[in-house]
Every structure is written in C-alpha cells, then in structure tokens.
Amino acid sequence: MKCIKTTDAVGHVLCHDITRIVKDVVKDTAFRKGHIVQEEDIPVLLSLGKDNLYVWEKDENTLHENEAAQILCDVCMNENMHPTAVKEGKIELIADCDGVFQVDVPRLDAINEIDEIMIATRHTNFPVKKDDRLLGTRVIPLVIAKEKMDLVKKTAGDQPLVSLTPYKKRKVGIVTTGNEVFYGRIKDTFTPVVINKLESYGAEIHGHILCNDDMEKITKAILKLKEEGADMIVCTGGMSVDPDDKTPGAIKNTGARIVSYGAPVLPGAMFLLSYLEDGTPVMGLPGCVMYAKATVFDLVLPRIIAGIEVTKKDLAHMGNGGFCLGCKECHYPNCSFGKGV
C-alpha cells in the first residue's frame, strides 16, 4: 500500500475503514476497506480530516475484490437465479423459483483449492424456495492477481458451477397395497402422508387405487394409472421381505427398469426406484414413510418432481449423511440428514 493525497485518490482502493463521528449523534463507518474512491467522495473525506489516504497499489496485473467477485459470480451463475449487488467484495446468488439446487462438487472443490479464492454454497441437491440465498463468492485480499482469476475461469470450464431446476407440475398416481387396508381391518394412514408430501411440491393427485396383496392386481393398477395419464406413480406398503409383500415383484412385472431395490438410508432402506420405458418414475415406499418425519422419500422426491433422473450411483452416495438421528423435534431439511454428496 502507499500513502497519497486525498485529492489524488479517485479510482484508488482504500486499505482501511474510515470512521465518521458526530458528537451525541452518530458513530459509524463512512467508507469501508476496499471502497473505490469516487470524485464525489473527496469533499466528504476532507471533511472527516482525511487529507491523506492509505490505498492499495493496483496495476494492470491485479483486480479489485469487487471485480474478482464478479468473475466468481460469472462462473457460478445459471438460469433461474440472479446476483445481488456487489458489497465489500461479496456477491450472492438468489433463487428465482422453487426447485432443486445442484452443485458440481468436484469443480467447486478444485476452485476453492486455489489460494485466496472462496465460493460457499448450499448443499448440492438441496430443495430451495424462491428468494432463498444459494451461494456467496469473494476473494480473500482486497486486490488479487489477474492470473489467479484466469486460473479460476480455466478450472471452472465452460459450464456454470451450479444449477437450479424448477419443479414440474406432476400428475401422480398412488397405489395403496395391503390386505389389512383393502379389507377394512385398519384405517389407511399411509396415503394421507404421501399426498401431503406430494402436494407440498405442487403435485396433483391424478388417481388412487387400493389393492390387496395380489401381485397381478398391483401390476395392473400401476399400468392403469399410467394409461390414465399419471406421469409419476407411488406404491405404498408391501416393501419388506415377508411372503405377503408383493409390491417389488409387481413393479418389476410392469416392465419397469429397476434402478435399485434398497437404499443406504435410514429410515428408508427398503425403498425401490424404477422407471417405465417412457421415463415415468415408479417408486415403492417402505412403511417408515408413514410414521418417520424424514426418510429416503424426502431425499429423492424433490429431484423426481423436478424431472432429474436419479441413478443407482446417486442412491449409493446417499449413505454419506443418510442416517437420520430421529430428533424429538424434526428440523429437516435444516439438519445433517441427506447432506452427503
């Protein structure tokens, strides 16, 4: 840094905060460290007794923190989000819609391994609401070498670092299975829970069929709902290994491609995910979805609603963070459950 006359400081970057004090009225920061001095600032600075200023020595090989923050914002920003105004070298991205926020974690890590650079995001695959804050960017020093920011751009590549996929208006068919419900021995308390979760993402319940433990009837019910226009199908119950649990076999008999029967998530280990030939997702939900506050269904559902295909590898990665602590008061999604990559 160097000391210069205040009258010569236009365009230079302040190295320190400058305080304004009016006795019995105010004490605040008139100019913050990193501020680029403007022509209109000169009279104010002089009135604060600042005839000289310490400023950063910036040249054609360096960038101000605000310029660097804009570069970091540019490598991140994608559709369905917008930036805040730069403030003290920081820019945040804000969601323009409800949807699933995703991060290319390996590229994020590679960028954050560059000295003096930081991008902090929400967890990948996080369900967000419109106007939620998604991430923040800044560089650590007030000025940074241009070549370092060139390295950031090279590491980031041509594609944005993050994405926000809006939810689709889903038409959901529900198949409720189980002799105990079909014959009226107990009340169906499973379906209302599923409907509530689906509707929270704007889904429409397109049809509901109740079946006993007959594999052929369950298969026919799934196909009937598909023929009637459902673009997503959920089967409740009958997902364990008991002889009377027919749902996994019934889903397989539709011709659906089974992604996985089982997931490394508790609660929800007996979850089944499959896709019909046209891409319609068909899920088999274990009984825990009925009584546990957060399960594998809550981790998968936002992506399914958004039309993001969930792979076997995606499910396998859910083991990291897939153990719910079953807190007395559930705070999901603002907790550790499902926060693995």
Side-chain angles (χ1 to χ4, degrees):
M1 62 182 179
K2 62 181 179 180
C3 181
I4 63 172
K5 290 183 177 296
T6 298
T7 51
D8 298 330
V10 173
H12 288 272
V13 181
L14 292 178
C15 289
H16 55 90
D17 292 346
I18 295 178
T19 303
R20 177 173 69 102
I21 301 175
V22 179
K23 187 177 183 299
D24 300 327
V25 176
V26 67
K27 179 181 179 181
D28 63 7
T29 303
F31 299 95
R32 293 192 177 278
K33 181 176 70 172
H35 176 73
I36 300 175
V37 179
Q38 307 297 314
E39 187 70 46
E40 60 269 24
D41 297 333
I42 302 302
V44 180
L45 289 164
L46 293 172
S47 73
L48 296 174
K50 300 297 179 183
D51 291 328
N52 299 285
L53 297 171
Y54 281 105
V55 296
W56 287 100
E57 296 185 75
K58 182 174 175 290
D59 56 35
E60 66 275 5
N61 296 316
T62 60
L63 294 172
H64 180 255
E65 62 177 353
N66 287 354
E67 298 170 301
Q70 185 60 58
I71 291 173
L72 294 178
C73 175
D74 290 343
V75 303
C76 291
M77 195 164 66
N78 208 331
E79 297 177 340
N80 304 312
M81 59 188 72
H82 69 271
T84 61
V86 62
K87 182 178 180 182
E88 298 174 10
K90 291 177 285 205
I91 298 178
E92 295 184 353
L93 292 181
I94 310 297
D96 289 335
C97 64
D98 295 359
V100 177
F101 176 66
Q102 294 183 300
V103 182
D104 188 321
V105 177
R107 283 196 293 146
L108 173 67
D109 291 346
I111 290 171
N112 279 327
E113 287 172 6
I114 299 172
D115 192 36
E116 301 182 325
I117 303 295
M118 71 125 268
I119 301 173
T121 76
R122 285 179 176 253
H123 288 284
T124 189
N125 295 311
F126 198 83
V128 298
K129 298 286 189 182
K130 181 180 178 182
D131 297 327
D132 278 354
R133 298 156 68 201
L134 303 175
L135 61 83
T137 71
R138 74 166 303 165
V139 294
I140 305 306
L142 279 174
V143 292
I144 191 167
K146 282 184 178 180
E147 64 178 5
K148 191 164 289 187
M149 300 312 300
D150 289 338
L151 178 59
V152 167
K153 289 186 281 188
K154 181 179 178 180
T155 303
D158 297 331
Q159 297 300 315
L161 194 65
V162 302
S163 64
L164 175 54
T165 306
Y167 299 129
K168 296 183 177 180
K169 189 67 176 180
R170 290 287 191 177
K171 296 179 179 180
V172 185
I174 301 175
V175 179
T176 301
T177 71
N179 287 342
E180 67 278 19
V181 176
F182 184 80
Y183 294 113
R185 298 168 189 161
I186 65 170
K187 182 181 179 182
D188 177 15
T189 55
F190 203 152
T191 304
V193 172
V194 173
I195 290 175
N196 184 61
K197 289 181 182 290
L198 291 167
E199 289 182 341
S200 69
Y201 289 101
E204 170 192 335
I205 307 306
H206 194 64
H208 178 213
I209 299 175
L210 182 60
C211 293
N212 62 359
D213 292 318
D214 184 308
M215 188 180 297
E216 185 177 349
K217 289 182 179 178
I218 298 171
T219 297
K220 288 181 178 179
I222 295 170
L223 294 175
K224 184 175 186 293
L225 289 167
K226 174 57 187 170
E227 290 171 5
E228 292 175 348
D231 58 16
M232 172 180 168
I233 298 169
V234 176
C235 301
T236 68
M239 289 301 301
S240 72
V241 295
D242 294 341
D244 292 334
D245 290 325
K246 308 293 187 181
T247 304
I251 294 174
K252 183 178 180 180
N253 288 343
T254 65
R257 172 177 58 88
I258 307 298
V259 175
S260 181
Y261 176 27
V265 178
L266 289 173
M270 305 305 291
F271 172 75
L272 186 151
L273 174 64
S274 66
Y275 290 92
L276 295 175
E277 188 175 355
D278 67 350
T280 299
V282 180
M283 289 175 280
L285 306 185
C288 62
V289 175
M290 176 173 52
Y291 59 82
K293 295 292 186 182
T295 70
V296 65
F297 187 46
D298 298 280
L299 304 185
V300 172
L301 183 58
R303 281 181 254 186
I304 297 293
I305 293 286
I308 300 169
E309 183 176 353
V310 177
T311 66
K312 187 174 182 64
K313 188 174 183 179
D314 292 330
L315 292 172
H317 283 175
M318 290 182 183
N320 178 24
F323 183 63
C324 176
L325 299 179
C327 303
K328 186 175 181 180
E329 183 179 354
C330 181
H331 296 285
Y332 180 82
N334 298 311
C335 67
S336 63
F337 182 57
K339 299 305 186 294
V341 175

